[in-house]
Amino acid sequence: MTVFKPASSNPSFQNSIEDRLQIKRLLEPTLIISTNAGSDVVKGLTQRPKTLPPRYFYDDRGSELFEQICELPEYYLTRTETKILQSYASEIAAITGACEIVELGSGSSTKTRILLDAYQKQGLPLHYLPIDVSAGMLESSALSLLADYPSLQVYALAGTYELALAEIEPKQLPNRMICFIGSTLGNLNPQECDVFLSQVKAALQVGEYFLLGVDLQKPKHILEAAYNDNQGVTAAFNLNMLEHLNWRYEGNFDTSQFAHWAFYNELEHQIEMHLKSKRSQTVELRTLKLNVHFEPGETIHTEISRKFDLNRIQQELKTKGLVPQKVWTDENQMFGLLLCQLQDKG
Ligand code: AVI
């Protein structure tokens, strides 16, 4: 594990932030994705139906496209969760009191500012522990936050959620709150979700908090529009996974020969994203010594995005000892924000 201090060309700025920023790399970024050297890709592309792990969405271009998705008129999720946070952040701060804010998949930390503002207004100390696979993203967003919040301390962890939750430092404030917002929980299947919630539970002490944002079930046309936007940004995000594989594993996917396909599976309550082959074609991934044949219309399943029922998710959290203390939604019940407290470790 390596710890590094950020680079800055301004010496006075550097001194002030050096004391307030620590970034630990739990794993080199290249290893994060290639610990199994692409065996997940080989496995996914040699089974039927074909699949690819959603983590391959997030190279630099994919992360940029995801930021653009969050701004789309059809993609109501980010806007709606932001509004809920704006309305209730001061209540969250009042409930938790002095509290370290741990954020899983912090990305650009935009929504974090709403929480930091609320804690600052109540005169509470600001300790922020962002966790993300991208050390570059952690550094740039931390530097921007540190410039805007003079009393903020940042202890960033670059690594997977699993590693970071297991490695988290003993806390310096009375309480801790793990935040998992943006409905990223929906990208985990039920088994992965169960494992993830156990990891959250293991990282918390009794009395500590878990703040969860989830997208709720709603009419199909609203959901399908959110994943089939008019500007084609979601399509570009989906297709970019193939470009990422081309770069990472010396592949020759021709993205013009695949189409984005997203629909709402009402039985499973999930959006499913696929890439559909437009013709018969064979693709090579040289580094993986893999040739993959596609029939016309054959698909690769790239993502699920589960949509939750507020009562059921509360029950599930309770069975993990994570007891919802407050549940907030927007006026149209599109999105839910749950503040849970760990009540038993058993
Ligand atoms: C990151 N995650 C919550 C997004 C979602 O809505 O499931 C990823 C995404 N996929 C397509 N659009 C956005």
Side-chain angles (χ1 to χ4, degrees):
M1 179 164 67
T2 55
V3 180
F4 71 90
K5 297 288 185 185
S8 168
S9 51
N10 177 338
S12 57
F13 183 57
Q14 185 175 6
N15 285 342
S16 71
I17 58 171
E18 269 202 340
D19 301 337
R20 298 191 284 128
L21 174 59
Q22 194 182 323
I23 302 181
K24 277 189 188 174
R25 276 183 200 272
L26 301 175
L27 211 53
E28 292 307 313
T30 47
L31 290 178
I32 289 171
I33 210 144
S34 62
T35 33
N36 51 11
S39 64
D40 51 355
V41 172
V42 175
K43 186 168 171 237
L45 290 181
T46 51
Q47 71 190 24
R48 273 176 182 256
K50 294 177 169 64
T51 63
L52 280 170
R55 63 180 174 164
Y56 285 99
F57 282 131
Y58 299 100
D59 61 353
D60 286 349
R61 174 81 183 129
S63 303
E64 221 173 80
L65 286 166
F66 180 64
E67 294 287 320
Q68 287 178 32
I69 286 175
C70 294
E71 304 283 320
L72 290 169
E74 298 94 335
Y75 196 77
Y76 59 86
L77 288 81
T78 313
R79 257 191 331 274
T80 313
E81 187 180 48
T82 301
K83 268 197 193 154
I84 302 174
L85 270 171
Q86 280 162 344
S87 305
Y88 301 107
S90 57
E91 204 175 321
I92 295 170
I95 293 171
T96 67
C99 175
E100 295 185 350
I101 299 172
V102 178
E103 188 177 8
L104 300 173
S106 50
S108 58
S109 299
T110 318
K111 285 179 254 181
T112 318
R113 288 173 179 266
I114 303 167
L115 285 171
L116 293 175
D117 287 342
Y119 281 79
Q120 184 166 261
K121 254 193 201 144
Q122 294 182 27
L124 296 166
L126 301 183
H127 283 208
Y128 178 48
L129 289 80
I131 295 171
D132 204 284
V133 285
S134 162
M137 181 69 105
L138 282 171
E139 181 178 352
S140 62
S141 50
L143 290 177
S144 140
L145 288 174
L146 288 161
D148 293 343
Y149 297 88
S151 68
L152 177 67
Q153 302 273 353
V154 178
Y155 310 88
L157 292 170
T160 59
Y161 303 152
E162 187 180 8
L163 278 175
L165 285 174
E167 286 277 343
I168 212 155
E169 310 258 317
K171 62 180 190 274
Q172 297 175 15
L173 294 178
N175 241 329
R176 183 169 271 170
M177 173 169 69
I178 296 180
C179 304
F180 196 46
I181 54 180
S183 203
T184 306
L185 190 74
N187 300 132
L188 307 181
N189 68 36
Q191 294 73 39
E192 291 165 340
C193 183
D194 195 55
V195 171
F196 170 77
L197 290 176
S198 300
Q199 288 161 352
V200 168
K201 178 176 180 173
L204 289 174
Q205 289 172 8
V206 169
E208 293 185 333
Y209 295 94
F210 178 48
L211 183 68
L212 177 66
V214 286
D215 194 16
L216 302 178
Q217 292 166 10
K218 60 183 63 63
K220 191 179 167 89
H221 70 275
I222 302 176
L223 287 165
E224 292 194 338
Y227 293 83
N228 289 287
D229 64 278
N230 277 332
Q231 294 170 55
V233 184
T234 311
F237 173 74
N238 199 8
L239 287 161
N240 178 66
M241 188 186 271
L242 302 181
E243 297 285 12
H244 184 189
L245 293 186
N246 282 346
W247 169 77
R248 190 169 286 279
Y249 299 119
E250 289 185 274
N252 63 355
F253 276 107
D254 176 354
T255 54
S256 72
Q257 295 308 319
F258 287 86
H260 165 71
W261 181 41
F263 63 90
Y264 187 50
N265 178 335
E266 284 177 297
L267 263 184
E268 301 289 341
H269 303 290
Q270 63 191 25
I271 285 282
E272 292 185 9
M273 288 215 316
H274 301 256
L275 289 163
K276 197 180 261 192
S277 176
K278 291 184 182 172
R279 59 174 169 89
S280 167
Q281 54 184 320
T282 300
V283 173
E284 184 184 9
L285 290 158
R286 278 181 62 193
T287 319
L288 302 178
K289 296 185 174 58
L290 181 69
N291 284 292
V292 192
H293 181 73
F294 292 89
E295 296 295 334
E298 191 177 350
T299 58
I300 312 173
H301 189 176
T302 50
E303 186 182 54
I304 58 165
S305 188
R306 294 166 66 214
K307 306 302 164 189
F308 296 88
D309 172 274
L310 215 38
N311 290 323
R312 288 187 70 175
I313 185 72
Q314 288 186 73
Q315 283 309 321
E316 193 175 338
L317 289 160
K318 260 189 219 160
T319 63
K320 290 281 176 204
L322 294 162
V323 181
Q325 303 295 299
K326 283 275 177 178
V327 179
W328 299 284
T329 62
D330 53 294
E331 56 190 9
N332 299 316
Q333 309 251 306
M334 303 271 267
F335 202 93
L337 186 68
L338 300 94
L339 180 63
C340 309
Q341 190 174 38
L342 183 65
Q343 295 203 341
D344 72 85
K345 283 292 259 184

